[in-house]
Amino acid sequence: MENNYLKDEFGCLVFNDATAKRYLDEDSFRALKEVKEKRIALDGPLAEKLAVALKTWALDNGATHYTHWFQPLNGLTAEKHDSFLSGVEDDGSPILSFSGKELIKSEPDASSFPSGGLRATFEARGYTAYDCTSPAFLYKDENGCVLFLPTAFCSYTNEALDEKTPLLRSMDYLSEQAVRSLRLLGDEQTDRVIAYAGAEQEYFLIDGQRFAKRKDLAYTGRTLVGASAPKGQELEDHYFGPIRTQVASFMNDVNRTLWRLGVPARTEHNEVAPSQHELAPIYAPCNIAADQNQLIMLVLKRTAKRHGLVCLLDEKPFAQINGSGKHNNWSIGTDKGVNLLKPGKEPENNLIFQVFLTAVVASADEFAPLLRECSASYANDFRLGGDEAPPAIVSIFLGQDLELLVERLSEGKDPTHNDRSIIDTGAKTLPILYKDNTDRNRTSPFAFTGNKFEFRMVGSNQNISESSTVINTAVGYELSKFADFVEKRTDKEAAIKEWIQKTLRAHRRIIFSGDGYSEQWREEAKNRGLTELKTAVEAIEALGSESVKELYRASHVLSESELTSRQEIKFANYGSAALIDAKTLSHMAHKSLLPAANRYLTLLVKETEQYTGSTYANKTLEEVSKLIDEAFEAVIALDVDIAKAKGLKGHELAFFSRDSLLMDMKKVRSPLDKLECLVDKSYWPIPSYGDLLFHTN
């Protein structure tokens, strides 16, 4: 019997077009479709009808509350639940209501969300505005059912206090400039260009009981101490390996929950590190993709708890093994279904593809520091630049064929055609495989993968809204320069080719196909004039550059005050995260690890006194004693710097954390990790890396 679960259940908790048709009259449904397609404001009369439809649908499915769901500048999502109950009749029956005004706007208290100086703490008013282009949905579990309304979040004084508002602005800006460019390229049909994204989500799963014994994981999301397990990822046996039973059960529940929420989760597999996994959905328009990724992270965490597991989304939960990223697969297409980054069979004759490819290349070079910044965070610094993730130097990988195309175009030569070659496996029974137009380069931060670009620098815990906003805005800005150039010329075709040649010649330095992990690339990048921003602190400073200010000024995606606020918030977040790490490590050392090591030392002293001691006992006694003293001295130095850090804020705290607290924590960790390898396991108070990483069935 055919399993129709996907057909019957997919999107059943989403107010999609099929659901809207059932709950709206025909005229209202058409009007709502027009609002979405033309990206115009939702008016009052339509909002009233939509509110009634949403309320009826939600109540039919057992909902009791609704919430405006938004993305404040703390990297998380926020929600305030309001009941549909608005009063009680004389006979005691409930009055249930939900108005168009309540749908369009809500007023959560904005005083405690980060604003970077846009709002004073005593100024509490903030507004959420309904984003009808991202479908409403019901979150339904054993705790009840709530109607979620995706929204933007702004201040009383009009500034964006969230990630979604700039993203929506950037999508509109890119569409305007792309349509303007397409008109110059002979396309009279396209009315709108849509930016798409698809986020590959990496994560770790660990046992919930063992997690509870690690204060560092509970407070910070990552381990601050821990010696490497005897086995890590050296054998590469976990990657794409058989999925263990407990994890498979977890993944099945995650998939079913996401499918009901209309999230097209498609790919799941084991990742490189032990206990590391990945989930990837099908792409969607950027604002919907961002909402869906936030949902994915929420579902992963909640589902893990039901299975006795904990889902870790931190970029580097464990030292010495791979951390977790979130590749943002970005592309653009027309409202007629044409992918503008698809080379076609003859990219050498595809002028539209050449223009849009050129705009992406130019944007990556001109705004490389901004691309680095949009993936910058305290936690992601432990991952970027290592031999597991892209380097901190931004470059683009195009593949051999497109590199040759760019080379000839930049030199003003006619491009040549390359036939697709086949892969000869040498086995007669295997089918013929045709090669794609590019290989893959896992060390590239920004890689072309056939009809899209994969931005690989984003961290697993980050919101993809910011990276999507940056790419949309930067590409839109380059397309505006293309349109400005061509519109002034009489011979449009000659002007187009001239712009492509000049632009590629100026920016082809960003294209690199080699090993991004190598030291040779760092030297070569320096010679090319490419910038390496090694830490998040340096990257965040890029937000204050004149070129970035001009980009956002021209595009109207962020005002200067909004831009400045984001820089201040990022500095504050970096410093706060480092300080929490430092205080947690100090707490663990003083309250748990050093006392445990000292108890074991006491045992060794007794043994050596009573039995004169074996060579093992004497040597271990000497080494443990030395390491305890080393760790204690390092913790005292860390405590001194923690006290200094508490008096700092923002920019100063971020730099102090990078230059002092991080160094202090390394000095504390080193002797503690060595002690873990010497102290009897029954004395060591926290689960080891082996306990945490090799646990599932």
Side-chain angles (χ1 to χ4, degrees), residues 134-152:
S134 184
F137 59 91
L138 298 169
Y139 200 96
K140 195 173 186 178
D141 59 19
E142 63 275 10
N143 299 313
C145 182
V146 178
L147 171 64
F148 276 64
L149 303 166
T151 62

Side-chain angles (χ1 to χ4, degrees), residues 245-302:
T245 304
Q246 186 181 11
V247 175
S249 175
F250 158 82
M251 287 181 172
N252 181 59
D253 279 0
V254 166
N255 285 329
R256 286 180 169 252
T257 301
L258 290 175
W259 290 338
R260 288 167 64 84
L261 289 166
V263 180
R266 183 169 185 177
T267 302
E268 60 189 27
H269 60 85
N270 291 348
E271 253 300 332
V272 175
S275 290
Q276 187 185 35
H277 312 278
E278 181 178 302
L279 182 153
I282 299 170
Y283 67 88
C286 282
N287 62 319
I288 297 176
D291 286 347
Q292 289 181 344
N293 183 246
Q294 294 296 319
L295 256 182
I296 286 170
M297 292 193 287
L298 177 67
V299 169
L300 287 172
K301 287 188 171 184
R302 290 187 176 179

